[in-house]
Amino acid sequence: MEGWVALYIFMLAAFTGVEVISRVPSILHTPLMSGSNFIHGIVLVGAMVILGMADTSAEIIVGFIAVVLAAGNVVGGYVVTERMLEMFSSTGRKKE
């Protein structure tokens, strides 16, 4: 029963995400994506907690993959944010 509730929450989150993203103007996609990637730091902390509580080797492997993917998403969020801020910089200087 608990798995069905989790699946139901996942489906609601997916539909909500599609509706929100489809209604955002294209000029705001980059700030929205950089913010959402930055929020994935919470996912990284959750994956690290789950990895710390893993007992079997399958749980450890899945937890490790979750930590790697979450870390990659956090780094990507920082890169996108930096590029976005560089685009809106008024000084006109370019990073070497």
Side-chain angles (χ1 to χ4, degrees):
M1 188 65 182
E2 193 171 296
W4 289 107
V5 172
L7 181 63
Y8 180 70
I9 291 172
F10 177 76
M11 287 175 36
L12 285 178
F15 285 126
T16 303
V18 167
E19 285 298 316
V20 168
I21 292 297
S22 66
R23 294 174 194 256
V24 171
S26 61
I27 195 166
L28 294 178
H29 273 190
T30 303
L32 180 66
M33 291 306 294
S34 68
S36 65
N37 285 339
F38 177 72
I39 290 173
H40 277 89
I42 298 169
V43 174
L44 177 60
V45 171
M48 289 173 26
V49 168
I50 295 299
L51 181 61
M53 295 186 324
D55 292 329
T56 65
S57 59
E59 291 174 347
I60 292 172
I61 291 171
V62 171
F64 179 76
I65 291 171
V67 168
V68 169
L69 292 176
N73 208 358
V74 168
V75 170
Y78 277 113
V79 170
V80 168
T81 301
E82 183 177 333
R83 290 185 70 188
M84 178 191 69
L85 292 176
E86 194 173 291
M87 282 183 354
F88 292 112
S89 176
S90 63
T91 59
R93 68 177 187 192
K94 297 223 174 198
K95 190 175 180 181
E96 296 179 16

